[in-house]
Amino acid sequence: MSGVGVPVAFPVGGRRLVVYVVWDRRGGVEDYIPVALAGLREHAARILVVVNGELSAEGRAKLEPVCDEVLVRENRGFDIWAHKDALDHLGSSVAEFDEVVFANDTWYGPVRPFGPVFERMDAQPVHFWGMTDHAREVPNPFTGSGVLPYHLQSFWIAVRREMLGSSRWREYWAALPEMPGYFDAVLKHEVVFTEHFAEAGYIHQAAFPSAGYPSDHPALFNVDLMLDDGCPLVKRRPLFHYPPFLDRHAVIGRELIARIAREDYPVEVVMHDLARNVAPRVLIADAGLVDVVGEDDAPEVPAWTPRVTVILNLGGPAAATALRAALTSVPAPYRVVATVPRQDMVDEVAAILRDGAAEDVEVRVVPSGPDFGDALWVGCRDVLVDPTRDLIVRLRDDPCLYGREAGAVYLRRHDLESLLGGPGVVTRLYEGFHREPGLGAVFPVRAHIGRAVAGLGWGEHWGPAQQLFERMGVRVPVDPGPSVGPSIGAWIARPQALALLTEVTAEPEDDSLGETLARAGGDDLLLAPFAAERGYHVRTVLSPQHAAIAHSSIDYAVDQLSTTLPGYPLEQIQFLHRVQWDGNVSVRGILKMYLNMNRPGLMQRVRRAAHAARRVRDIPRRLRARVRRGR
């Protein structure tokens, strides 16, 4: 322990500095961050917030009341280099403090009080301490070989005066390597920091050591037990990590959110943050945003009677008749606005729809394509932005309404019975909107029975959707593979959650707004990410009967698939992703499989060449579109 002073407890009346790093993809500040800083305020003599990247005026206004200084820097080197720049910025003034807490924005808190943890750790004679740690692991999961050393996790490391003033400390930061990627930040700092200073003789502790829990990584795998022990923080990762990985380790996000709520932490700031920063399909899986709702689940006395407008985008009287029965499940009163493509349909459709509980029926003539994009987003735009309405119930004409094939019949039943299975079901869904201010939309779980795939990918819509996201400033992460949205255009939503979609205008190469939206996936694919950009999450719903049918079916299907591949679903999925079979039993399909498994570098070059070829191939289409519009 040569050259290392004796570790001491935090002195009575000592001064603590908190350096807290923020990064936001929009240059703003999520609402959970001021909550965290306000919780730290009474335990810190000074709080310095370091912002990686840009900071909006609105974001600065959120930070300034809960900190002493805001430092904005280039987004380089993750939170590690932000801490280094903070030290450079503070210079010799660091010596004024008995302890510096280096933290970042990757956690929610205080879920439990900070006070008892600070009191307990203040009494410990250490040079540095962390909130949590990670046990030694072989092999290193990041490299697949070697050892992952025991380490304090870098989202919270507190360093005492003796270590802050040492030459070893200054040398460590002076030699800090560049960190262009996330793995660099982990492997070049987080997993070496503890070992580096421990080998030099510095004494450390974890407030909630992994040795006391049944896993190597309790901050991810044993959050409930840590909360039981008084841990004030909940890491964000259990609510946005890869769902099959969390499934492998039985991390149940739905129960974690419920636990956070029971601790009186404002769950609405959690859901707002997750909606804007997690892919909607991932969030539904991680947070368990699937509700099984039956007719008997409605409250005896509803807490809320919303002002509701039902929008029906219809191809004609037959669709009005087909959907009229579903409207009997909508509790009165409600207004109906229906669209039809021709004037000669108006009177007949109006007569069909007036035979019910609607307080008012209006039928509009709006020519529209088969996806009814113009009928909804143009013909009913005034309804969608009407501030006097609380909720929109939307149904549209769809081939499955008339199909006699078993798959079409089941899809119709599945969606309409899950969303509008009776007045009790709809009342219960209304209560969800009343209970969760951040709930933007509800629609049926995607049916998998009778369909080739259990989910819906973006497919040909992915390119146009990306262009639309960029144009409209949608920064929500979206997976190019799986998506989430209503199958047959049946949903319930807040008008506020639809606001950004109502601002979309037609692309120059398209004849109408409906064509623009259809190319990008229509409301079937765009509803969730556009709502999420405004901070609204979505939920999916399933009736008890269809939940039982779906589980028994998919349970057997997954079991059969699993018999052909070893390991947990996580490993099976990873294997299939490496193979990326395209479904063609052909020379082309087999060649793709071989290249993916054995020559991934060559396969990447082939993909890039194919992408460039498609762009060249699309030039004539874009030129014809411009000519057609006279541009």
Side-chain angles (χ1 to χ4, degrees), residues 592-613:
K592 285 184 65 176
M593 290 172 61
Y594 173 81
L595 291 176
N596 279 312
M597 290 297 294
N598 300 287
R599 302 291 297 278
L602 176 59
M603 191 61 194
Q604 288 182 354
R605 293 194 291 273
V606 170
R607 287 196 188 97
R608 287 195 291 268
H611 178 70

Side-chain angles (χ1 to χ4, degrees), residues 248-320:
R248 161 70 178 83
H249 295 280
V251 177
I252 313 299
R254 185 184 180 108
E255 294 180 355
L256 175 56
I257 291 173
R259 173 64 186 273
I260 291 172
R262 289 198 300 273
E263 300 291 349
D264 292 328
Y265 183 84
V267 172
E268 60 272 14
V269 304
V270 173
M271 297 308 300
H272 186 275
D273 167 53
L274 294 174
R276 282 164 51 88
N277 296 294
V278 180
R281 185 69 186 88
V282 171
L283 181 56
I284 286 177
D286 283 355
L289 301 182
V290 179
D291 294 324
V292 177
V293 180
E295 181 63 8
D296 297 332
D297 292 326
E300 292 184 8
V301 180
W304 186 44
T305 302
R307 298 163 296 180
V308 176
T309 296
V310 177
I311 294 178
L312 302 175
N313 299 129
L314 308 173

